[in-house]
Amino acid sequence: MTPEAQRPPSIRDVAGRAGVAISSASAALNDKPGVSDETRARILSVAKDLGYVPSWRGRSLSAKRAFTVGLVVERDPDVMGDDPFFGAFVGGIEESLGPRGYALAVRVSRDARAAATGYRELAGNRRVDGVFLNELLVDDPRPESMLRWGMPAVGINPGPGEFVFPTVRQDGTKAIVEALRWLARIGHRTIAHVAGPLRYVHAVERLEAFRSVLLDLGLDPSLVTEGDFTYQGGYEAADRLLAVSPRPTAVFCANDLTAVGVMNRALDLGMKVPADLSVIGYDGIAMGGYTRPTLTTIKTSPRALGRQSARLLLDLIEGSLPMDAQASVPEARLVVRSSAGPASTI
Amino acid sequence: MTPEAQRPPSIRDVAGRAGVAISSASAALNDKPGVSDETRARILSVAKDLGYVPSWRGRSLSAKRAFTVGLVVERDPDVMGDDPFFGAFVGGIEESLGPRGYALAVRVSRDARAAATGYRELAGNRRVDGVFLNELLVDDPRPESMLRWGMPAVGINPGPGEFVFPTVRQDGTKAIVEALRWLARIGHRTIAHVAGPLRYVHAVERLEAFRSVLLDLGLDPSLVTEGDFTYQGGYEAADRLLAVSPRPTAVFCANDLTAVGVMNRALDLGMKVPADLSVIGYDGIAMGGYTRPTLTTIKTSPRALGRQSARLLLDLIEGSLPMDAQASVPEARLVVRSSAGPASTI
DNA sequence: TTGAAAGCGATACCAG
DNA sequence: CTGGTATCGCTTTCAA
């Protein structure tokens, strides 16, 4: 890859060819005052002739900024493909990043230890100017450590209460309330929940919402089993739930993948969905519209979440945002499809 | 974000505290010869005390290397989430990148024009040291322009024939042959194909494979309609195919999403799958195992493809790989599930 | 073995 | 308005 590797023109080349000082070239190129119109025009034209593109490395060193933000995803590379959140979230981030000249550095780590290393590298290196804190854990050490490193960050759905960095939230509680109340209204009395791993704040939030609504409705809120946000986890959770008596007639799942797993297990056991078992998911992934029956779910907006959080992060980096800023995207909505409905035996 | 923003220790701080020259510190830190063991030990210990992490910006400028590679994804941010290839591919890339100290910069562009801009920025800027060329088009301009820019690249499944950069391929032809021959063997005589947009080489390759096998089998290879690799595209393609006479009894689709669309349309029309229509997809996405009936498909390995192509790209960047290098990952395999089988009326 | 100094490419300050 | 120069943090000669 070296044959005709002539290095790209630098600002010196431009200045030289235009017969001006480097500083003038810099000012002209950056639309800064202090250069006569005529000189500016000449510099610009030379730059164009040469095909000059400012080196991001030089700029970066000088500006003490990487013009890059980091996203660390803690997930086994093997299941990365099954995660629709990732792509949509990245898509949203890019919408904000691109126009402002920033790039996104992605790091995939298979476990918490590797993820910590990932953050440390990105932050210690100053390879990025800020990071996204996503899928937060209860007592997550990352926010504190980013603060200690002096690394700007934004928290995505950090749960209720204070957070040391700006946050972006999408409330899903109201939609959960609506979904569960609806289930009760159409006759369900035994409603179960397949939670996500309770080390995640979003898993806890959904569980809390479930409990509080059921209590409110005078129903038993204790029919809960912990899944792992995967299809397989849902499939297996279904077996546990369907073994209890009285058997639940409806299940609210912490995410869609789990819900599809539950639904398929029920179907595989010869049950009818929703007649024998109603299933409701959470996320609103496209797949929910492709399964049969189609999945009733609570639809979130990963893309908007990405877009907003990137906006906040850049504002924070550039100093125009207080640390306690809070943003939110429109609440998650209940999307009624066909996996939930009245129980056959009321 | 500025209160106690003391800048992180630089190599000068380390050298100063250790009472040595910067160059000695550099040598010690990089495991280079020219420093006595004793001095080295002292430097290392000071570096540790100070929590020194080499600045990636300085290193980058000096080394004339960004230690970053770029992936440009041409896709509407809205459907990024539906694309399981992206996540898995990125996961694979990271497996090779991380250990070698490189990062991945991702750029999402909604159309070809934006994607071209994306490449130009990454390349012109020298923000990245190399790029992945994925989802190649027939007569794709990107390889040539990367060559012109002197930007290392690798082509992922660039189709048959020469390619100006190293390539990584996963052959799927044999599996397609096997799948179609199997359909014929179990009695299908009218087999259709829902192609991908034919501007993509991989769409053309799959179509060519389809045609050649059907010709070989003495069947009519002309029952082809063009989809767009989406679920909706498949759903609509099904309507077109089911209107022709004689009606096909089996459909091979260019990807899984399309196949699920075709299958669902058939089910929605009250047909039985596979009794009335057999459906075979391509990709092997997890969802194929979640639909009912489960999807028979040809399973590819996006993660392995990512891992291999990143390996090649880094080798190319670091100069240890010829431009005509070719790598491949194990061929795609036919995965028989339940969406395809003997036709009910033979 | 060690240290001094020259880049890398850009920005920013300060004289002229 | 313009040009020179220091600076960012590191690597890499090149002398001592």
Side-chain angles (χ1 to χ4, degrees), chain B residues 11 26 32 52 55 62:
Chain B
I11 195 169
S26 172
K32 295 238 165 109
Y52 168 75
S55 150
S62 174

PDB file of all heavy atoms in Angstrom, chain B residues 11 26 32 52 55 62, chain D residues 8-13:
ATOM      1  N   ILE B  11       4.061  12.438  28.632  1.00  0.00           N
ATOM      2  CA  ILE B  11       5.327  11.727  28.726  1.00  0.00           C
ATOM      3  C   ILE B  11       6.404  12.630  29.337  1.00  0.00           C
ATOM      4  O   ILE B  11       7.351  12.154  29.949  1.00  0.00           O
ATOM      5  CB  ILE B  11       5.755  11.214  27.334  1.00  0.00           C
ATOM      6  CG1 ILE B  11       6.866  10.174  27.480  1.00  0.00           C
ATOM      7  CG2 ILE B  11       6.191  12.357  26.431  1.00  0.00           C
ATOM      8  CD1 ILE B  11       7.174   9.422  26.209  1.00  0.00           C
ATOM      9  N   SER B  26      10.232   7.462  26.355  1.00  0.00           N
ATOM     10  CA  SER B  26       9.514   6.878  25.224  1.00  0.00           C
ATOM     11  C   SER B  26      10.002   5.459  24.950  1.00  0.00           C
ATOM     12  O   SER B  26       9.217   4.533  24.792  1.00  0.00           O
ATOM     13  CB  SER B  26       9.689   7.758  23.993  1.00  0.00           C
ATOM     14  OG  SER B  26       9.152   7.128  22.860  1.00  0.00           O
ATOM     15  N   LYS B  32      11.353  -0.576  23.881  1.00  0.00           N
ATOM     16  CA  LYS B  32      12.397  -0.505  22.850  1.00  0.00           C
ATOM     17  C   LYS B  32      13.770  -0.593  23.515  1.00  0.00           C
ATOM     18  O   LYS B  32      13.930  -0.184  24.665  1.00  0.00           O
ATOM     19  CB  LYS B  32      12.276   0.827  22.097  1.00  0.00           C
ATOM     20  CG  LYS B  32      10.992   0.955  21.304  1.00  0.00           C
ATOM     21  CD  LYS B  32      11.298   1.192  19.838  1.00  0.00           C
ATOM     22  CE  LYS B  32      10.068   0.961  19.001  1.00  0.00           C
ATOM     23  NZ  LYS B  32       9.528   2.191  18.454  1.00  0.00           N
ATOM     24  N   TYR B  52      -0.034   7.231  34.046  1.00  0.00           N
ATOM     25  CA  TYR B  52       0.207   7.709  32.686  1.00  0.00           C
ATOM     26  C   TYR B  52      -0.401   6.786  31.633  1.00  0.00           C
ATOM     27  O   TYR B  52      -0.239   5.571  31.694  1.00  0.00           O
ATOM     28  CB  TYR B  52       1.714   7.828  32.451  1.00  0.00           C
ATOM     29  CG  TYR B  52       2.078   8.046  31.013  1.00  0.00           C
ATOM     30  CD1 TYR B  52       1.882   9.282  30.408  1.00  0.00           C
ATOM     31  CD2 TYR B  52       2.588   7.001  30.246  1.00  0.00           C
ATOM     32  CE1 TYR B  52       2.208   9.487  29.080  1.00  0.00           C
ATOM     33  CE2 TYR B  52       2.915   7.193  28.913  1.00  0.00           C
ATOM     34  CZ  TYR B  52       2.721   8.436  28.328  1.00  0.00           C
ATOM     35  OH  TYR B  52       3.030   8.619  27.013  1.00  0.00           O
ATOM     36  N   SER B  55      -0.948   9.505  25.139  1.00  0.00           N
ATOM     37  CA  SER B  55      -1.981  10.206  24.390  1.00  0.00           C
ATOM     38  C   SER B  55      -2.045   9.671  22.978  1.00  0.00           C
ATOM     39  O   SER B  55      -1.064   9.638  22.254  1.00  0.00           O
ATOM     40  CB  SER B  55      -1.690  11.697  24.343  1.00  0.00           C
ATOM     41  OG  SER B  55      -2.198  12.239  23.150  1.00  0.00           O
ATOM     42  N   SER B  62       2.407  11.762  15.367  1.00  0.00           N
ATOM     43  CA  SER B  62       3.795  11.392  15.156  1.00  0.00           C
ATOM     44  C   SER B  62       3.916  10.163  14.259  1.00  0.00           C
ATOM     45  O   SER B  62       4.740  10.119  13.351  1.00  0.00           O
ATOM     46  CB  SER B  62       4.426  11.129  16.513  1.00  0.00           C
ATOM     47  OG  SER B  62       5.721  10.648  16.370  1.00  0.00           O
TER      48      SER B  62
ATOM     49  P    DC D   8       2.339  22.865  25.509  1.00  0.00           P
ATOM     50  OP1  DC D   8       1.928  23.227  26.860  1.00  0.00           O
ATOM     51  OP2  DC D   8       3.708  22.366  25.256  1.00  0.00           O
ATOM     52  O5'  DC D   8       1.335  21.784  24.935  1.00  0.00           O
ATOM     53  C5'  DC D   8      -0.044  22.067  24.692  1.00  0.00           C
ATOM     54  C4'  DC D   8      -0.595  21.033  23.739  1.00  0.00           C
ATOM     55  O4'  DC D   8      -0.202  21.379  22.396  1.00  0.00           O
ATOM     56  C3'  DC D   8       0.004  19.649  23.991  1.00  0.00           C
ATOM     57  O3'  DC D   8      -0.901  18.885  24.765  1.00  0.00           O
ATOM     58  C2'  DC D   8       0.174  19.055  22.598  1.00  0.00           C
ATOM     59  C1'  DC D   8      -0.059  20.209  21.635  1.00  0.00           C
ATOM     60  N1   DC D   8       1.050  20.445  20.672  1.00  0.00           N
ATOM     61  C2   DC D   8       0.769  20.645  19.312  1.00  0.00           C
ATOM     62  O2   DC D   8      -0.402  20.602  18.949  1.00  0.00           O
ATOM     63  N3   DC D   8       1.782  20.858  18.450  1.00  0.00           N
ATOM     64  C4   DC D   8       3.057  20.906  18.895  1.00  0.00           C
ATOM     65  N4   DC D   8       4.013  21.130  18.001  1.00  0.00           N
ATOM     66  C5   DC D   8       3.361  20.731  20.278  1.00  0.00           C
ATOM     67  C6   DC D   8       2.340  20.499  21.125  1.00  0.00           C
ATOM     68  P    DG D   9      -0.264  18.063  25.976  1.00  0.00           P
ATOM     69  OP1  DG D   9      -1.395  17.640  26.820  1.00  0.00           O
ATOM     70  OP2  DG D   9       0.861  18.818  26.557  1.00  0.00           O
ATOM     71  O5'  DG D   9       0.342  16.764  25.276  1.00  0.00           O
ATOM     72  C5'  DG D   9      -0.541  15.812  24.707  1.00  0.00           C
ATOM     73  C4'  DG D   9       0.272  14.725  24.050  1.00  0.00           C
ATOM     74  O4'  DG D   9       1.001  15.287  22.933  1.00  0.00           O
ATOM     75  C3'  DG D   9       1.315  14.073  24.952  1.00  0.00           C
ATOM     76  O3'  DG D   9       1.175  12.677  24.815  1.00  0.00           O
ATOM     77  C2'  DG D   9       2.642  14.588  24.417  1.00  0.00           C
ATOM     78  C1'  DG D   9       2.319  14.814  22.949  1.00  0.00           C
ATOM     79  N9   DG D   9       3.116  15.822  22.282  1.00  0.00           N
ATOM     80  C8   DG D   9       3.663  16.956  22.840  1.00  0.00           C
ATOM     81  N7   DG D   9       4.326  17.700  21.983  1.00  0.00           N
ATOM     82  C5   DG D   9       4.192  17.009  20.779  1.00  0.00           C
ATOM     83  C6   DG D   9       4.700  17.315  19.491  1.00  0.00           C
ATOM     84  O6   DG D   9       5.361  18.288  19.130  1.00  0.00           O
ATOM     85  N1   DG D   9       4.349  16.343  18.542  1.00  0.00           N
ATOM     86  C2   DG D   9       3.603  15.224  18.833  1.00  0.00           C
ATOM     87  N2   DG D   9       3.358  14.394  17.814  1.00  0.00           N
ATOM     88  N3   DG D   9       3.127  14.919  20.032  1.00  0.00           N
ATOM     89  C4   DG D   9       3.461  15.852  20.952  1.00  0.00           C
ATOM     90  P    DC D  10       2.121  11.700  25.549  1.00  0.00           P
ATOM     91  OP1  DC D  10       1.313  10.583  26.064  1.00  0.00           O
ATOM     92  OP2  DC D  10       3.028  12.430  26.449  1.00  0.00           O
ATOM     93  O5'  DC D  10       2.956  11.154  24.319  1.00  0.00           O
ATOM     94  C5'  DC D  10       2.262  10.493  23.264  1.00  0.00           C
ATOM     95  C4'  DC D  10       3.113  10.450  22.025  1.00  0.00           C
ATOM     96  O4'  DC D  10       3.564  11.774  21.721  1.00  0.00           O
ATOM     97  C3'  DC D  10       4.378   9.615  22.136  1.00  0.00           C
ATOM     98  O3'  DC D  10       4.148   8.355  21.523  1.00  0.00           O
ATOM     99  C2'  DC D  10       5.431  10.399  21.362  1.00  0.00           C
ATOM    100  C1'  DC D  10       4.715  11.662  20.915  1.00  0.00           C
ATOM    101  N1   DC D  10       5.526  12.887  21.073  1.00  0.00           N
ATOM    102  C2   DC D  10       6.102  13.457  19.941  1.00  0.00           C
ATOM    103  O2   DC D  10       5.949  12.901  18.859  1.00  0.00           O
ATOM    104  N3   DC D  10       6.834  14.587  20.080  1.00  0.00           N
ATOM    105  C4   DC D  10       6.982  15.149  21.273  1.00  0.00           C
ATOM    106  N4   DC D  10       7.698  16.275  21.357  1.00  0.00           N
ATOM    107  C5   DC D  10       6.401  14.592  22.446  1.00  0.00           C
ATOM    108  C6   DC D  10       5.679  13.456  22.303  1.00  0.00           C
ATOM    109  P    DT D  11       5.235   7.237  21.627  1.00  0.00           P
ATOM    110  OP1  DT D  11       4.554   5.950  21.495  1.00  0.00           O
ATOM    111  OP2  DT D  11       6.102   7.528  22.793  1.00  0.00           O
ATOM    112  O5'  DT D  11       6.100   7.508  20.315  1.00  0.00           O
ATOM    113  C5'  DT D  11       5.442   7.514  19.055  1.00  0.00           C
ATOM    114  C4'  DT D  11       6.435   7.805  17.956  1.00  0.00           C
ATOM    115  O4'  DT D  11       6.954   9.152  18.090  1.00  0.00           O
ATOM    116  C3'  DT D  11       7.652   6.889  17.918  1.00  0.00           C
ATOM    117  O3'  DT D  11       7.879   6.561  16.552  1.00  0.00           O
ATOM    118  C2'  DT D  11       8.772   7.748  18.487  1.00  0.00           C
ATOM    119  C1'  DT D  11       8.365   9.138  18.010  1.00  0.00           C
ATOM    120  N1   DT D  11       8.840  10.278  18.848  1.00  0.00           N
ATOM    121  C2   DT D  11       9.421  11.356  18.217  1.00  0.00           C
ATOM    122  O2   DT D  11       9.610  11.411  17.025  1.00  0.00           O
ATOM    123  N3   DT D  11       9.788  12.380  19.062  1.00  0.00           N
ATOM    124  C4   DT D  11       9.626  12.432  20.436  1.00  0.00           C
ATOM    125  O4   DT D  11       9.979  13.420  21.069  1.00  0.00           O
ATOM    126  C5   DT D  11       9.021  11.272  21.030  1.00  0.00           C
ATOM    127  C7   DT D  11       8.814  11.231  22.508  1.00  0.00           C
ATOM    128  C6   DT D  11       8.654  10.255  20.218  1.00  0.00           C
ATOM    129  P    DT D  12       8.939   5.434  16.204  1.00  0.00           P
ATOM    130  OP1  DT D  12       8.310   4.600  15.182  1.00  0.00           O
ATOM    131  OP2  DT D  12       9.453   4.830  17.447  1.00  0.00           O
ATOM    132  O5'  DT D  12      10.125   6.260  15.533  1.00  0.00           O
ATOM    133  C5'  DT D  12       9.831   7.468  14.837  1.00  0.00           C
ATOM    134  C4'  DT D  12      11.120   8.200  14.531  1.00  0.00           C
ATOM    135  O4'  DT D  12      11.355   9.223  15.525  1.00  0.00           O
ATOM    136  C3'  DT D  12      12.383   7.334  14.516  1.00  0.00           C
ATOM    137  O3'  DT D  12      13.195   7.735  13.430  1.00  0.00           O
ATOM    138  C2'  DT D  12      13.044   7.647  15.850  1.00  0.00           C
ATOM    139  C1'  DT D  12      12.683   9.123  16.001  1.00  0.00           C
ATOM    140  N1   DT D  12      12.681   9.645  17.399  1.00  0.00           N
ATOM    141  C2   DT D  12      13.109  10.937  17.616  1.00  0.00           C
ATOM    142  O2   DT D  12      13.492  11.679  16.743  1.00  0.00           O
ATOM    143  N3   DT D  12      13.055  11.320  18.935  1.00  0.00           N
ATOM    144  C4   DT D  12      12.638  10.556  20.023  1.00  0.00           C
ATOM    145  O4   DT D  12      12.639  11.031  21.152  1.00  0.00           O
ATOM    146  C5   DT D  12      12.218   9.212  19.703  1.00  0.00           C
ATOM    147  C7   DT D  12      11.756   8.307  20.794  1.00  0.00           C
ATOM    148  C6   DT D  12      12.260   8.814  18.426  1.00  0.00           C
ATOM    149  P    DT D  13      14.196   6.752  12.781  1.00  0.00           P
ATOM    150  OP1  DT D  13      14.513   7.373  11.484  1.00  0.00           O
ATOM    151  OP2  DT D  13      13.716   5.412  12.888  1.00  0.00           O
ATOM    152  O5'  DT D  13      15.477   6.858  13.722  1.00  0.00           O
ATOM    153  C5'  DT D  13      16.733   7.209  13.189  1.00  0.00           C
ATOM    154  C4'  DT D  13      16.806   8.699  12.872  1.00  0.00           C
ATOM    155  O4'  DT D  13      16.108   9.460  13.899  1.00  0.00           O
ATOM    156  C3'  DT D  13      18.246   9.174  12.840  1.00  0.00           C
ATOM    157  O3'  DT D  13      18.487  10.014  11.716  1.00  0.00           O
ATOM    158  C2'  DT D  13      18.437   9.914  14.154  1.00  0.00           C
ATOM    159  C1'  DT D  13      17.016  10.323  14.548  1.00  0.00           C
ATOM    160  N1   DT D  13      16.830  10.202  16.024  1.00  0.00           N
ATOM    161  C2   DT D  13      17.052  11.288  16.818  1.00  0.00           C
ATOM    162  O2   DT D  13      17.424  12.357  16.399  1.00  0.00           O
ATOM    163  N3   DT D  13      16.840  11.077  18.162  1.00  0.00           N
ATOM    164  C4   DT D  13      16.409   9.917  18.772  1.00  0.00           C
ATOM    165  O4   DT D  13      16.244   9.859  19.979  1.00  0.00           O
ATOM    166  C5   DT D  13      16.196   8.809  17.870  1.00  0.00           C
ATOM    167  C7   DT D  13      15.754   7.502  18.416  1.00  0.00           C
ATOM    168  C6   DT D  13      16.409   8.990  16.566  1.00  0.00           C
TER     169       DT D  13
END
